[in-house]
Amino acid sequence: MKPRRIWADFHLYSRSYLRSPEAIFFSLIFPFFLILMFGALYSGGGTPSAVPLYVQNLDHNSNVSESFLSDLNRTGLVNVAMVSPDVSLQGYLTSHSQSNGLILPDGFGANVTQGRPSTITVITNPYDQGAAGLVQSAVGYAMSVVNQRGAPPLVYESTDYVGVRSYSTIDYVVPGLIGLSIITSPMFSMVTLTAEYKKEKLFKQLSLTPLTKSEWLASKIMWNWVVVAASAVILIATGDVVFHAAFLVSPYLLVFLLIGPLFFVSLGMLVGTLSKKAETAGFIGNLITFPMMFLSGAFIPVSIMPGWLQPYARIWPLYYFINGITDASVFNNPGGTWTDILITLVMAAVTFAAAVVLFRWRED
Amino acid sequence: MSEAIQVQGLVKTYGPLRAVDGIQFQVNQGEVFSFLGPNGAGKTTTVEILEGLRRATEGSVRVLGMDPWEEGRALHRRIGVIPQGFKFFDKVTPREAIRYYAALFGTRADPDLLLKRVLLSDKAQDTFDKLSGGQRQKLGLALALVSDPEVLFLDEPTTGLDPQARRAIWDVIRELRTEGRTVFLTTHYLDEAEELADRVAILHHGRIITEGTPRDLIQRHGSPPRLLITGPREVARTLKAHTDLEVQEDHGETHVILHRPGDLSRAVQTLETHGVRWEDLSTERDSLEDVFIRLVGEMDEGEITSS
Ligand SMILES: Nc1ncnc2c1ncn2[C@@H]1O[C@H](COP(=O)(O)OP(=O)(O)O)[C@@H](O)[C@H]1O
Ligand SMILES: [Mg+2]
């Protein structure tokens, strides 16, 4: 790879990209409209949508447990629903497609009054950081009320505590739409570009110059870094100024903005190069892009999707980008981000390698 | 080494189709060599094999001593190409395109000089999608010259262009020859081959039917030159009566077929001697087109009767 040639190709491609109004519209103006639309939709009255929390009270309805539950409800982050003590809560949640539960143990009230420690069990879905965050915040609040009364510390069995803040759906919109830019700008431009270059024999033309396939691909990835970063800036700024969406700009965000185009530029090129005709390429591209956008939480946060649908979010690569950005920038939870970085990085590396190997400049 | 291109026993099949069916030729350095043939003859297939863009099914191909498929990257630095129906990136101007190629090749080509050379200076700032067919081909030519190539491959560079653009491109091709570059030119225009080529190979159904200088081909395959005389009917009558020349009459014109070198002066002298006045005298010979149509026609007929 020669930097001089990558730069020359980057320079030429960026210029022709900027001269095409459709490209500018879809990569920069469209995200702006989307965030205005979804922001208005989700910020509605400003009330955060509460997460249903299924509670099993094994403490035979003592006063202490009753007041604990009313404190929980008062946060507005959760809607407490009672489950009979006779069933298994895990089984109940599974059969009702729910993932958030809480068990107050037998003797909870007596322990609190007599100064003995107690363990409450919190069940959350580790893949649904949004809902988990709300539940943990609510529980944390109710515990702090008990603790203020001078009782010994309460312990609960959950690890990912993410700090107390009430989250609203608008907070998920920014990561979701950044995820949308990460997939659409590279995918749409690369699928059409590859199919068109093949049809117009431009790849053949390029193969007669010293430019190599990986140099060509590298320059496209670089340009998509610019485009995705620009649309992320637009989304974050609009989210902050117009909707006061919580969003932390961290190095982790940058990592996803770098891996994203690497992955989707390569994927778009693979789709374009492996399909025989331009129309097929467009069709296959949409077949991959559209379900991925809807099911990975780009428009609708995964946490408010129907429970049965939520596990299917995890089969789409884009989910890990959105999940990672949400962890890093909304929940300020870098620990949860690392898994997503690892998963996306491996996918991107494999796809890039496949694109370079399978992509043919010339025919046999 | 005096051969720029050497081809032996070249075959290219697409499934059952033998698009190139065992051809053999060589192109000397500094020569303009033309591949002449109708659509589907196998011209583009051959050119792209020479450029290393397609792989030969059988046979051996050498361009500047290299195997184009195996040593493409090295070869591409020494050849220039205009593919058939040359296209470039829609939103890029000719000047940017030349700068781009110069950066890729690492050469110091001056965009303004190159554009002037192909007569495209006035369109230096227009994007490719705004250029006419002829202007696009001129850009193709300019790009092919960026790397200062020894051999140029031009695949139907003037197809579909207006006469003025064709002439402009012909001028550049003549200049390339003067500079000592080798040019491999495919065309389905006979006048183009006749005008530009040192040697021509006529290709039909993947085979070379004949090969030589345009003059050779006409002499070998054309009918003999003719003397055309306009004048009274007496002209034909006198010639028939007093010579053994082959004389034909055609709409008040007398045609004398010039089989032997002395035929022309004998005809004129005979008319002088007998005091026959004529109005106009001219000679006519077959063009490459006549040869081409005859050869291709004979070949197709042969095919029909034999099948
Ligand atoms: N990639 C290809 N696949 C299948 N058939 C092809 C391909 N390229 C050319 N052909 C066929 O090979 C024959 C020669 O084509 P081509 O070399 O383009 O001829 P020309 O350039 O003289 O018009 C034609 O019949 C054409 O349809
Ligand atoms: Mg052709």
Side-chain angles (χ1 to χ4, degrees):
Chain A
M1 290 228 247
K2 273 233 170 131
R4 184 191 74 225
R5 296 197 292 256
I6 298 180
W7 175 247
D9 193 64
F10 175 84
H11 187 73
L12 192 85
Y13 181 59
S14 57
R15 279 194 171 203
S16 51
Y17 190 97
L18 292 173
R19 282 177 193 153
S20 138
E22 314 91 280
I24 302 281
F25 177 80
F26 277 109
S27 52
L28 301 177
I29 301 171
F30 193 51
F32 178 68
F33 285 129
L34 277 183
I35 190 161
L36 288 184
M37 194 175 90
F38 281 94
L41 204 65
Y42 288 131
S43 65
T47 33
S49 64
V51 171
L53 178 65
Y54 290 81
V55 175
Q56 202 171 38
N57 191 350
L58 304 179
D59 194 32
H60 309 296
N61 305 332
S62 68
N63 285 343
V64 178
S65 56
E66 291 295 343
S67 80
F68 184 88
L69 294 180
S70 72
D71 286 338
L72 266 184
N73 247 338
R74 197 165 0 174
T75 60
L77 301 180
V78 294
N79 272 328
V80 171
M82 299 309 293
V83 177
S84 149
D86 305 330
V87 300
S88 140
L89 184 59
Q90 279 286 4
Y92 181 91
L93 290 175
T94 314
S95 62
H96 288 78
S97 299
Q98 292 296 332
S99 52
N100 307 305
L102 178 117
I103 302 171
L104 292 177
D106 188 12
F108 173 75
N111 285 344
V112 169
T113 0
Q114 290 163 29
R116 288 197 302 267
S118 247
T119 302
I120 54 178
T121 307
V122 176
I123 304 168
T124 53
N125 179 355
Y127 292 101
D128 186 354
Q129 282 293 332
L134 294 177
V135 170
Q136 284 155 358
S137 305
V139 173
Y141 169 77
M143 289 195 315
S144 71
V145 175
V146 174
N147 290 341
Q148 269 167 15
R149 294 196 196 122
L154 285 170
V155 186
Y156 77 78
E157 283 187 345
S158 172
T159 41
D160 285 331
Y161 190 73
V162 289
V164 182
R165 184 192 176 281
S166 76
Y167 296 102
S168 62
T169 314
I170 180 70
D171 297 333
Y172 303 98
V173 169
V174 178
L177 292 182
I178 290 179
L180 186 73
S181 296
I182 285 181
I183 186 171
T184 51
S185 302
M187 278 295 276
F188 288 153
S189 62
M190 290 313 288
V191 169
T192 26
L193 194 78
T194 315
E196 186 196 313
Y197 282 20
K198 241 169 56 171
K199 183 163 145 256
E200 307 286 14
K201 309 224 160 65
L202 287 168
F203 283 134
K204 265 191 179 179
Q205 177 85 16
L206 288 178
S207 80
L208 293 164
T209 72
L211 187 72
T212 66
K213 288 188 288 181
S214 26
E215 286 164 354
W216 184 84
L217 195 55
S219 105
K220 302 301 163 297
I221 290 168
M222 279 165 56
W223 174 246
N224 276 280
W225 281 340
V226 174
V227 172
V228 168
S231 70
V233 167
I234 291 171
L235 290 169
I236 294 167
T238 316
D240 181 37
V241 172
V242 183
F243 301 107
H244 308 293
F247 197 91
L248 186 77
V249 178
S250 74
Y252 295 99
L253 171 66
L254 201 67
V255 171
F256 288 107
L257 294 184
L258 289 177
I259 301 176
L262 181 67
F263 178 61
F264 288 108
V265 165
S266 311
L267 185 65
M269 201 180 93
L270 264 182
V271 170
T273 191
L274 293 182
S275 16
K276 283 258 179 282
K277 285 200 216 126
E279 303 82 58
T280 339
F283 177 72
I284 296 174
N286 291 342
L287 213 59
I288 295 174
T289 311
F290 281 101
M292 180 129 63
M293 287 185 326
F294 285 105
L295 292 175
S296 305
F299 295 124
I300 309 156
V302 172
S303 58
I304 66 168
M305 280 182 193
W308 61 267
L309 195 57
Q310 295 188 7
Y312 296 106
R314 254 161 279 148
I315 64 174
W316 303 100
L318 182 62
Y319 169 82
Y320 298 94
F321 287 95
I322 297 177
N323 194 53
I325 295 173
T326 310
D327 273 352
S329 292
V330 179
F331 295 118
N332 189 15
N333 173 20
T337 305
W338 277 106
T339 337
D340 300 308
I341 290 181
L342 208 69
I343 293 173
T344 52
L345 196 59
V346 170
M347 290 188 307
V350 170
T351 319
F352 179 82
V356 171
V357 173
L358 295 176
F359 171 42
R360 294 254 167 276
W361 284 125
R362 44 183 206 181
E363 55 192 273
D364 269 8
Chain B
M1 189 194 68
S2 64
E3 292 96 23
I5 301 171
Q6 256 188 323
V7 173
Q8 261 161 14
L10 178 63
V11 174
K12 175 72 182 180
T13 56
Y14 300 113
L17 174 74
R18 289 173 81 84
V20 175
D21 195 5
I23 59 173
Q24 174 160 339
F25 63 90
Q26 63 179 49
V27 180
N28 300 320
Q29 257 173 8
E31 178 174 57
V32 176
F33 183 83
S34 179
F35 240 33
L36 181 63
N39 280 332
K43 302 184 295 294
T44 300
T45 301
T46 308
V47 177
E48 292 201 350
I49 290 171
L50 296 178
E51 294 160 0
L53 291 179
R54 296 191 204 194
R55 199 208 291 255
T57 311
E58 275 170 44
S60 104
V61 172
R62 294 261 139 192
V63 177
L64 295 171
M66 288 183 265
D67 175 338
W69 183 263
E70 298 299 335
E71 300 163 86
R73 291 193 69 75
L75 178 65
H76 292 160
R77 292 188 168 278
R78 295 173 59 190
I79 65 173
V81 169
I82 312 184
Q84 182 170 4
F86 167 78
K87 289 268 176 58
F88 206 68
F89 310 110
D90 273 349
K91 296 292 172 195
V92 170
T93 69
R95 178 173 285 135
E96 288 164 347
I98 292 172
R99 288 230 174 88
Y100 174 61
Y101 263 51
L104 294 184
F105 278 101
T107 61
R108 271 186 215 290
D110 176 353
D112 294 321
L113 225 62
L114 269 174
L115 288 173
K116 202 164 135 194
R117 184 156 178 201
V118 298
L119 305 177
L120 199 59
S121 302
D122 50 331
K123 297 288 171 191
Q125 310 276 29
D126 287 14
T127 53
F128 185 75
D129 54 358
K130 302 259 163 26
L131 301 182
S132 71
Q135 290 159 349
R136 289 175 179 202
Q137 287 302 118
K138 287 176 182 174
L139 174 62
L141 206 47
L143 289 182
L145 290 172
V146 165
S147 58
D148 190 20
E150 294 159 57
V151 181
L152 281 118
F153 293 95
L154 316 178
D155 195 357
E156 301 200 15
T158 66
T159 297
L161 303 191
D162 58 81
Q164 210 183 343
R166 288 183 78 196
R167 299 264 157 207
I169 288 178
W170 286 2
D171 285 343
V172 181
I173 296 175
R174 284 197 196 94
E175 241 177 79
L176 296 175
R177 186 178 177 280
T178 336
E179 291 165 358
R181 300 183 211 265
T182 309
V183 178
F184 188 98
L185 169 78
T186 81
T187 181
H188 64 235
Y189 296 124
L190 292 122
D191 56 339
E192 188 160 290
E194 198 169 5
E195 192 80 25
L196 299 174
D198 295 309
R199 281 190 310 128
V200 182
I202 296 184
L203 193 70
H204 191 49
H205 290 326
R207 300 210 184 124
I208 293 180
I209 352 180
T210 186
E211 192 206 303
T213 64
R215 175 179 284 271
D216 267 357
L217 294 188
I218 292 163
Q219 244 161 34
R220 248 190 287 154
H221 303 283
S223 36
R226 294 168 293 278
L227 175 66
L228 310 185
I229 310 166
T230 20
R233 311 201 67 193
E234 234 179 302
V235 173
R237 222 179 300 141
T238 313
L239 288 174
K240 276 179 184 165
H242 300 280
T243 67
D244 59 352
L245 294 167
E246 189 183 339
V247 179
Q248 294 162 357
E249 279 175 277
D250 185 24
H251 296 99
E253 240 181 20
T254 304
H255 294 195
V256 181
I257 316 296
L258 305 173
H259 287 287
R260 288 170 304 264
D263 286 355
L264 176 77
S265 55
R266 276 206 292 142
V268 178
Q269 262 169 22
T270 308
L271 294 178
E272 296 273 330
T273 321
H274 293 85
V276 182
R277 322 269 316 158
W278 68 86
E279 285 155 29
D280 194 21
L281 261 185
S282 66
T283 57
E284 189 190 79
R285 45 180 30 254
D286 270 4
S287 71
L288 206 42
E289 182 146 17
D290 300 316
V291 173
F292 181 77
I293 289 169
R294 182 166 309 134
L295 283 172
V296 167
E298 277 166 11
M299 208 178 143
D300 286 344
E301 265 167 35
E303 249 169 32
I304 290 160
T305 47
S306 69
S307 64

